[in-house]
Amino acid sequence: MIKSSEYSPHSRKLILLYTAPAMIVMALVVIYPFLYNIVLSFSNMNLTHFRDWSLKGFGNFRMVLADSTFWYFLWKTCLWTVLNLIFHVSIGVFLALILNKGIKGKSVYRILLILPWAVPQYITALTWRGMFNAEYGTINLLLERFLGLHVSWLSTEWGAFTACLITNIWLGFPFMMIVALGGLQSISDSYYEAAEIEGANSWQKFWGITMPLLKPVMVPAIILGVIWTFNNFNVVWLVSNGGEPSDTTHILVSWVYKAAFTYFRLGYAAAFSMIIFTILFIFSWRFIKSSRAVENIYG
Amino acid sequence: MRNQISKPRDLSLKGKIGAYVILTLFSLFAIYPILCVFSISIRPGDKLLSKSLAIIPDQATFISYYRLFTEQPFLKWMMNSIIISIAVTLIGVCLAATAGYSFSRFKFKGRQASLLAIITTQMFPVTMLLLPMFIMLIKLGLYDSYLGLIIAYSATALPFTIWQMKGFYDTIPYSLEEAAMIDGAGPVYSFWRIVLPLALPALAITALFSFMSAWSEYLVAAVLLQNQDLYTLPIGLKQFTSNMEVAWGLYSAAALLVSIPVVVLFLFLSRWLISGLTLGSIKG
Amino acid sequence: MIGKIRKYKIWLYYIGAGLLFLFSFLVLPGCQSNTTKKIVVWTSLRPVEREYLQKELDRFGLNYPGYEFNQLFYAPEELRNNFIITALAGKGPALVHCASDFIGPMSELQVIKPLENIFTQQFLSEFIQKPFAANTVFQGHLYQIADRVGNHMCLVYNKKLISKPPQTITELITVGKSLVRDLDGDGRTDTYALAWNYTEPSFAVPFIGGYGGWVIDQSNHPTLNIPAVQKAARLIYDLANKYKIIPPECDYETANALFLDERVAMIINGPWSWGTYLKAGLDIGLARIPKIDETGLWPTPMVFPMGYCLNINLTGQDLEIAKRLVMHLTSPQVEMKFAEMFKIIPSRIVEMNSPELQKDELFVHAVDQMMVGKPMPVMTEMRWIWDAMRPAYQGIFTKQITPEQAGVEMQQLAEKLIAENRQ
C-alpha cells in the first residue's frame, strides 16, 4: 500500500488536478448564495424593512420553530420522503434485478421503463393531476368499473397526499432502476456460480452477494434521493395545485417558496431554509457515517 | 456433482413467465400517463381533460406537431438545449471521473470533509439561492450567456456524479492497480487504462444524469437568458402557457418530442450499462 | 473492445480534438454579451398578441437604429418574481407589462419608477378616469400606463345550449335545473347548467359585491367576516349541493373542459379564455353575471387595467426611449388594433367609445359587465387576503365548515398574515 507520506510531489499535484476543478465549479455557484442566506436568516428583511434591513439575532428561527404548522409539515415531509424512497428503491432494484437476467426483449422494456424520467415533469405531473380528478379522472373511472369505489382524491388532505405520492413514485423509480442496473454490472457472475456450488438459494444469494456489492453504488443515490425528495417542490405544487385543499398539501420547501415570493418575508424564509438545511445535514451525516460511504481504500 | 450448473442469469420457465408478467405490468404503469400525453397532443382543440378513455380521440390530428416545426422555433430551442447539455455532459464526465477517483484512491487532508461538503450543496432549497446566484453571475459578466448556465448546471450535476463514481470505483479492487504498479506503471496509467474502462457503467450513468440535469432545467435558465435566440427547450415549452390558458396541443406534442433525445442517449449508453464488460477481469 | 480502442487510438484523439474545436464555435456565440443596446419588454400576453406586439416594437425600432427591441414571455408569477430579482440586481427589462396588482409589491420593493414626472398631464388625461382610473396611482405615485382595461370575468354562455342568458339568480336556478341531465342513465350527471373555477376565492368575489359587501374596507383592511361574504359562499355552496346545477368538484381546467365539450351551458371566465372558445367553434355570448334577487344588485367582478411599468434602473437615453415606447404602445392606433384583433377594451376614453367597436356584440357586453364591476385593489396585502381566504373557503366545499364559520376563520387568518408579513 502506498502511504500518503510516500507520495511524490507529482502525485500531490495529481490529486489537486483531479479534484480541484470540480470543487471550484461547485464552490462558485453555491458558496456566495449560501453565505448570503446565512446573513439573511439573521435579518429582519421583509417588505417593511427592505432596503434598510438590520440584523435581529435568532428571532426568525424562534418564530419558525414556535409555529405548530412547521412541525406538522416537518412530519409530513419526513413521511413523504421515507415513503417515496422505500418505493423508489425497492421497485428500482427489483426491476433492475429482473432486467439483469437472461430474458428476451430487454431493450424494449428498458426504454419503456425509463420514459417517466425522460418526459418533462411539468406535463406528466399535470396529467396525473387530471387522472386523479374525481369526476373525469381515469383512476376513478377504472376504480368504479372494476371495484365499485369512488375516491375524492384531490379534495381531501390525505387523498391529495397519496396522489402526490403515487405521481412521484412513478417519476422516480426509473432513476433508481438505472443506478441499480449500473451497479449490478460490477458484480461478477463468478460469485453467483461459486455460491450455487455451495448450495445457496436465491434469497441467500441476494442478501449475501447482491446487496453488499450493490450498496456502495446505491448509497449515493439513496442519500441524494432523500435530499431531493425532501426538497421536491415541483410535484407537490403541481399535483395539488399549490397546496389544495386548503393549504394542507404542503411540504416544507413549498412553504419557504410562499414565504419568500408571496409574502416577501425574506429573513424568515432564509431562516426556514437554514433549518431545512440543518435537518438534512444531520440526517445525511449520520447515514453516511453509518454506511461508511465516505471511506475509501484507506479507511 | 450436479449434472447442470445453472448460469446465474438463467431463469427457470416459471421464473421467465413471472419476469415477463412483472415487466409488462410495470411497463404499462410507466407508459400509461405518457399515452395520455400523446392523446392530448393529437386531440383537437387544446383540451387537457376529456371524458373519454380512448387513447386515440375523435378527429385526431397531427397538426400540433406540424405547427411546432413550422410556426415555432422548436428546432432552434432543441439545438440550443443540445449544445448546452452536451457541454454539461462532457464537463460532468471529465470532472466527476477524476474527482471520484481521487476521493476513492487517494488520501489527503479534508477528504472526508470535502465529500460531505459536496453533498451539502444539494441540501439548500433552490429558490432561496436564485437571487444571490443571479447577482454573482451578473458581477462575473455571465448574465444572458451560455457560460453562466453551463457553470450553474455543472455545479448541480456534479455532487451526485462524483459520489456515484466514487462508489463505483470502491467496488473495483485496488489489487488491480497494485499489480500494475508493481509492473512499473504510474498512477495515471493505471487510472486511464485499468480502472476507467471498468467504470464504464458508472460513466454512462454520469453522462445520462448530467445530460438530464441540463436538458430539463427551467428555473435558472428562465432568470438568466434574456435573448430569444438562446432559449432552451424548457423555456420554449413554457411559451405555450400563458395567463391561465395553455396551448395543450402544442405543449404535449413538444413534451413528447423533448423526451426523444433523452431516450436516444439512453439507448446509446445502455450498452455500457448492461454490457458485462467488467466481468471476467475481476476473477480471483 | 478495449483492444479495438487501442488500435484506433490516434484517430480517436484527432476526431475528438476536431469535434471539440468545432463545438467551441457553437458554444462561444452564446457566451458573448451583445453590444447593441437592447430594450426588452416582459409580458404574459398570449402568443398571438405577442406576435403583434413584436411587430409594433419593430415598427418603433425603425426610428432607433442603434437599439434592438424585443418582447419576452413569462407566466405572471414568474414575471413578477424574476423581474424583482433582476431589477434588484441592477438589470432587468426596460418595460414590464402586467396587471395592476403587481404594482403593490413592485413599488414597495422599489423596482419600478414613479411616472408622474415623466409623462405629461395632457397625455395622461386621454386615459379613462371613470368608472375607475386606467392609470394606477398607488401611495401617491403614478406607476403604470395602461394599454387595456377590464380583464374581468363575465358570464359566458353557449348559444346552442341556452339562447337567452338568465338575468337573476332565481332564473339561473330555474333554467339551470332543466339543463342538468343524466344522458346515459348511469346515475351520474353528465351535463350541468354552469361550471366555473368557484373553489378559487377570486372567482367567487363577484358574488360578495352582489350582496353589497367587499373584501376590504375604505382603509384597505380586510373585511371577510361580514354577511355579504357568508351569503356569497352560501349561495355557491347551494348551487352545487342544494340545486345541484354546478358540479360538486370543479377547478379551472375541469370547467374549461366541460364548456369546450359542450357539457355545460355557461361558464364564468375572463377575456383570456374567450379566444379559445371561439377558436373551438363555440357560438358564445357574453352577459352580466346574474343579479342577486335578495339585494337587487349585480355581482361585481374585479376589473383591472394592464399596462406598462418602467424599470427603476432606467436612466438617460434608455429612459427617454422607454418613455416614447410606452407612448407608442398606448397610442390610439395601436390600442384600436389590439381591440379589433383581440377583443381588448382600450384604456383611452375616445377609443373605448369608438363606433367601430360598438358593432362587436361581445365587446359591447364585456363593457356592459365592466360598468358594474369593482376595481381590483392594488396593494400588496391583497394577495395575502386571497391566501387567507383560500383554506377556509375551500373547506366549505369539502364540507368541513359552514360558510358562517368560514367568514370568521378567513378574517382571522387575513389579519394574522398581514401582521406577520408587516412586522
Side-chain angles (χ1 to χ4, degrees):
Chain A
M1 257 243 266
I2 302 177
K3 297 219 170 54
S4 74
S5 53
E6 289 174 18
Y7 272 127
S8 62
H10 173 74
S11 292
R12 206 160 289 160
K13 247 194 287 180
L14 205 67
I15 298 175
L16 222 64
L17 180 69
Y18 279 13
T19 353
M23 302 301 284
I24 291 177
V25 169
M26 287 187 287
L28 206 66
V29 174
V30 175
I31 288 198
Y32 171 67
F34 188 70
L35 294 174
Y36 190 92
N37 267 285
I38 294 185
V39 173
L40 260 192
S41 64
F42 290 103
S43 79
N44 64 352
M45 191 191 268
N46 67 1
L47 268 185
T48 359
H49 305 283
F50 196 74
R51 304 267 173 170
D52 56 339
W53 58 271
S54 55
L55 294 176
K56 66 176 211 183
F58 285 93
N60 288 330
F61 292 95
R62 255 178 272 148
M63 236 195 299
V64 173
L65 294 172
D67 192 352
S68 62
T69 19
F70 167 76
W71 296 100
Y72 182 62
F73 284 132
L74 175 61
W75 134 248
K76 244 187 165 168
T77 312
C78 292
L79 186 67
W80 159 261
T81 309
V82 166
L83 285 176
N84 266 301
L85 260 297
I86 291 180
F87 280 102
H88 283 170
V89 176
S90 42
I91 296 179
V93 171
F94 182 56
L95 289 176
L97 285 172
I98 299 182
L99 282 175
N100 207 30
K101 300 282 189 196
I103 51 171
K104 291 223 206 345
K106 269 193 291 207
S107 21
V108 174
Y109 283 120
R110 279 200 311 259
I111 299 206
L112 292 180
L113 289 169
I114 197 190
L115 284 177
W117 195 48
V119 181
Q121 231 181 49
Y122 187 99
I123 201 169
T124 45
L126 286 176
T127 309
W128 274 100
R129 177 179 163 74
M131 294 206 294
F132 280 110
N133 189 308
E135 290 283 317
Y136 305 110
T138 327
I139 303 215
N140 268 356
L141 289 176
L142 289 173
L143 279 179
E144 276 163 34
R145 203 174 291 191
F146 295 119
L147 294 175
L149 286 176
H150 177 98
V151 183
S152 287
W153 295 101
L154 297 173
S155 49
T156 61
E157 181 182 349
W158 290 102
F161 183 82
T162 317
C164 296
L165 188 64
I166 295 180
T167 308
N168 201 42
I169 291 175
W170 182 85
L171 284 168
F173 80 83
F175 175 72
M176 290 295 175
M177 184 183 83
I178 296 178
V179 173
L181 258 180
L184 286 173
Q185 299 320 303
S186 70
I187 305 178
S188 161
D189 278 350
S190 57
Y191 292 129
Y192 294 109
E193 284 163 16
E196 180 85 6
I197 295 176
E198 310 256 339
N201 65 23
S202 314
W203 201 240
Q204 289 166 320
K205 276 192 244 173
F206 179 70
W207 285 108
I209 304 175
T210 320
M211 278 304 280
L213 290 178
L214 205 48
K215 217 174 69 156
V217 175
M218 290 304 292
V219 163
I222 293 179
I223 295 179
L224 279 154
V226 167
I227 297 175
W228 292 329
T229 309
F230 199 85
N231 277 342
N232 186 338
F233 157 65
N234 270 330
V235 174
V236 174
W237 195 263
L238 287 173
V239 177
S240 71
N241 197 27
E244 286 173 18
S246 304
D247 260 349
T248 52
T249 315
H250 271 296
I251 55 176
L252 292 175
V253 273
S254 44
W255 266 95
V256 170
Y257 182 79
K258 218 162 179 185
F261 288 108
T262 311
Y263 301 150
F264 301 108
R265 295 172 66 190
L266 292 164
Y268 177 83
F272 208 109
S273 311
M274 290 303 299
I275 294 181
I276 295 179
F277 173 79
T278 316
I279 295 174
L280 285 175
F281 187 82
I282 296 178
F283 157 77
S284 315
W285 174 257
R286 313 204 64 192
F287 190 84
I288 292 174
K289 276 293 188 195
S290 70
S291 72
R292 303 165 76 213
V294 272
E295 294 175 3
N296 71 358
I297 53 177
Y298 296 108
Chain B
M1 177 92 164
R2 298 183 183 197
N3 22 3
Q4 187 190 22
I5 297 180
S6 55
K7 310 200 88 159
R9 295 195 181 214
D10 280 354
L11 285 173
S12 63
L13 184 61
K14 205 166 70 167
K16 276 210 177 87
I17 296 182
Y20 281 119
V21 164
I22 292 178
L23 284 177
T24 313
L25 278 177
F26 272 100
S27 298
L28 283 174
F29 173 61
I31 205 175
Y32 183 72
I34 297 175
L35 287 177
C36 286
V37 174
F38 178 65
S39 59
I40 298 171
S41 71
I42 54 177
R43 185 181 297 149
D46 280 342
K47 288 191 252 178
L48 177 66
L49 300 176
S50 166
K51 259 288 209 186
S52 91
L53 277 176
I55 298 288
I56 313 275
D58 285 337
Q59 305 171 317
T61 163
F62 279 95
I63 191 150
S64 289
Y65 291 92
Y66 176 71
R67 286 169 58 202
L68 207 53
F69 287 103
T70 51
E71 293 173 18
Q72 306 286 341
F74 187 74
L75 281 175
K76 189 193 304 201
W77 297 334
M78 189 163 266
M79 263 317 282
N80 293 338
S81 274
I82 288 181
I83 293 174
I84 294 183
S85 303
I86 291 187
V88 173
T89 307
L90 288 177
I91 295 178
V93 168
C94 293
L95 293 185
T98 49
Y101 182 75
S102 149
F103 281 118
S104 173
R105 296 305 195 235
F106 297 151
K107 176 173 173 173
F108 51 94
K109 256 213 287 255
R111 189 186 60 88
Q112 293 205 351
S114 302
L115 269 180
L116 253 194
I118 290 176
I119 280 232
T120 57
T121 62
Q122 300 282 289
M123 294 180 195
F124 215 74
V126 173
T127 42
M128 292 305 290
L129 300 178
L130 276 181
L131 173 55
M133 175 162 36
F134 189 70
I135 294 178
M136 191 186 58
L137 287 173
I138 288 183
K139 295 226 195 303
L140 290 174
L142 297 173
Y143 171 67
D144 200 17
S145 78
Y146 282 165
L147 201 51
L149 266 190
I150 292 175
I151 293 179
Y153 289 164
S154 304
T156 12
L158 278 174
F160 170 69
T161 50
I162 292 181
W163 268 77
Q164 161 81 350
M165 294 303 302
K166 174 196 173 290
F168 203 86
Y169 287 134
D170 285 345
T171 65
I172 299 176
Y174 189 63
S175 46
L176 290 175
E177 290 149 83
E178 281 183 317
M181 291 201 239
I182 288 176
D183 284 346
V188 180
Y189 183 90
S190 59
F191 171 61
W192 260 110
R193 291 300 179 81
I194 299 178
V195 177
L196 211 50
L198 292 177
L200 280 173
L203 283 178
I205 295 179
T206 297
L208 192 59
F209 184 77
S210 305
F211 187 84
M212 268 303 266
S213 311
W215 187 253
S216 50
E217 200 283 333
Y218 173 73
L219 269 184
V220 179
V223 177
L224 279 185
L225 293 179
Q226 292 299 298
N227 185 347
Q228 280 184 347
D229 289 332
L230 295 182
Y231 270 4
T232 57
L233 281 172
I235 303 184
L237 256 66
K238 253 308 170 102
Q239 308 289 305
F240 299 142
T241 65
S242 63
N243 194 1
M244 291 234 210
E245 290 285 307
V246 181
W248 290 114
L250 282 174
Y251 196 91
S252 41
L256 288 179
L257 292 179
V258 159
S259 328
I260 294 181
V262 179
V263 175
V264 165
L265 183 66
F266 177 67
L267 266 177
F268 174 70
L269 292 172
S270 33
R271 90 176 94 130
W272 287 300
L273 220 44
I274 317 296
S275 66
L277 246 188
T278 59
L279 310 178
S281 57
I282 316 189
K283 266 203 166 82
Chain C
M1 184 167 163
I2 300 181
K4 278 213 192 96
I5 291 183
R6 259 195 216 124
K7 211 164 120 186
Y8 297 110
K9 198 175 56 172
I10 290 289
W11 292 108
L12 275 177
Y13 283 159
Y14 280 141
I15 294 175
L19 281 174
L20 263 172
F21 184 65
L22 285 171
F23 189 64
S24 52
F25 276 111
L26 288 172
V27 177
L28 280 180
C31 293
Q32 287 160 6
S33 48
N34 283 332
T35 42
T36 36
K37 296 267 220 150
K38 283 210 284 205
I39 300 281
V40 182
V41 181
W42 283 9
T43 171
S44 306
L45 290 177
R46 293 177 293 145
V48 276
E49 296 187 54
R50 293 203 312 268
E51 248 181 76
Y52 175 63
L53 177 63
Q54 184 67 54
K55 284 210 188 77
E56 285 299 332
L57 286 173
D58 293 334
R59 209 148 63 92
F60 183 79
L62 294 174
N63 299 325
Y64 300 94
Y67 283 81
E68 204 182 294
F69 294 83
N70 265 324
Q71 44 82 22
L72 287 180
F73 168 78
Y74 285 92
E77 276 304 290
E78 278 171 35
L79 182 90
R80 189 186 70 162
N81 294 342
N82 287 1
F83 179 71
I84 291 174
I85 291 178
T86 53
L88 284 176
K91 294 260 177 194
L95 299 180
V96 60
H97 178 259
C98 59
S100 56
D101 64 344
F102 284 3
I103 291 175
M106 294 202 295
S107 64
E108 288 201 64
L109 294 174
Q110 293 168 35
V111 291
I112 52 178
K113 263 197 197 311
L115 304 174
E116 60 271 9
N117 295 323
I118 297 184
F119 294 93
T120 63
Q121 244 345 89
Q122 199 223 348
F123 171 72
L124 295 173
S125 66
E126 294 167 14
F127 289 85
I128 295 173
Q129 315 287 339
K130 294 196 216 307
F132 55 89
N135 295 334
T136 314
V137 173
F138 180 64
Q139 293 182 337
H141 292 285
L142 173 69
Y143 281 110
Q144 185 186 62
I145 306 291
D147 76 332
R148 65 193 65 196
V149 295
N151 300 295
H152 53 281
M153 298 169 226
C154 293
L155 184 72
V156 188
Y157 62 99
N158 187 340
K159 288 188 183 163
K160 196 168 85 179
L161 300 174
I162 177 172
S163 50
K164 195 166 95 69
Q167 294 286 298
T168 66
I169 295 291
T170 328
E171 255 184 69
L172 171 67
I173 296 176
T174 327
V175 159
K177 289 210 175 132
S178 66
L179 289 167
V180 175
R181 283 187 284 262
D182 176 9
L183 293 172
D184 50 10
D186 62 353
R188 297 180 345 117
T189 321
D190 294 304
T191 66
Y192 288 94
L194 169 66
W196 88 104
N197 190 15
Y198 64 81
T199 46
E200 178 56 38
S202 50
F203 278 78
V205 119
F207 295 97
I208 300 179
Y211 277 101
W214 198 228
V215 286
I216 51 171
D217 63 15
Q218 310 281 49
S219 25
N220 287 344
H221 291 136
T223 54
L224 299 169
N225 193 16
I226 52 175
V229 173
Q230 292 159 359
K231 287 189 191 165
R234 162 70 53 194
L235 170 65
I236 300 177
Y237 181 81
D238 285 345
L239 286 177
N241 293 292
K242 188 158 142 199
Y243 307 110
K244 300 199 207 273
I245 58 171
I246 66 181
E249 191 184 291
C250 195
D251 66 357
Y252 187 83
E253 289 297 340
T254 315
N256 250 5
L258 284 170
F259 194 71
L260 285 168
D261 269 346
E262 303 193 287
R263 285 181 194 279
V264 72
M266 297 175 274
I267 189 171
I268 297 179
N269 213 340
W272 50 82
S273 64
W274 305 336
T276 314
Y277 302 147
L278 289 171
K279 205 167 71 160
L282 297 174
D283 186 12
I284 58 172
L286 298 177
R288 288 191 183 172
I289 302 174
K291 214 194 291 197
I292 309 279
D293 304 78
E294 186 187 309
T295 58
L297 296 171
W298 292 99
T300 58
M302 281 200 170
V303 176
F304 59 93
M306 287 180 74
Y308 298 96
C309 299
L310 267 65
N311 190 326
I312 192 124
N313 298 309
L314 284 173
T315 51
Q317 177 83 325
D318 289 353
L319 175 58
E320 183 59 28
I321 293 181
K323 165 189 152 194
R324 300 214 193 125
L325 178 58
V326 172
M327 292 176 70
H328 173 80
L329 292 173
T330 57
S331 62
Q333 304 88 329
V334 177
E335 286 207 8
M336 277 307 282
K337 289 248 41 197
F338 265 108
E340 282 159 10
M341 293 202 283
F342 309 114
K343 319 236 172 286
I344 308 293
I345 302 178
S347 57
R348 285 172 163 271
I349 303 176
V350 171
E351 277 61 39
M352 193 185 94
N353 294 310
S354 86
E356 287 97 69
L357 292 177
Q358 303 300 320
K359 293 187 204 138
D360 184 343
E361 183 203 326
L362 292 179
F363 181 84
V364 168
H365 282 119
V367 174
D368 185 50
Q369 170 77 89
M370 185 173 92
M371 289 307 180
V372 291
K374 267 206 158 108
M376 178 165 73
V378 161
M379 76 266 191
T380 320
E381 284 83 346
M382 200 56 229
R383 182 59 180 281
W384 309 335
I385 295 180
W386 295 134
D387 278 353
M389 288 178 77
R390 209 170 286 120
Y393 179 73
Q394 287 176 348
I396 301 176
F397 299 103
T398 57
K399 308 205 172 73
Q400 281 162 333
I401 51 180
T402 67
E404 292 70 33
Q405 237 177 311
V408 175
E409 281 184 29
M410 291 196 280
Q411 180 70 22
Q412 276 176 345
L413 188 50
E415 286 170 359
K416 171 167 170 272
L417 275 180
I418 294 179
E420 273 178 357
N421 297 342
R422 288 276 180 204
Q423 265 178 357

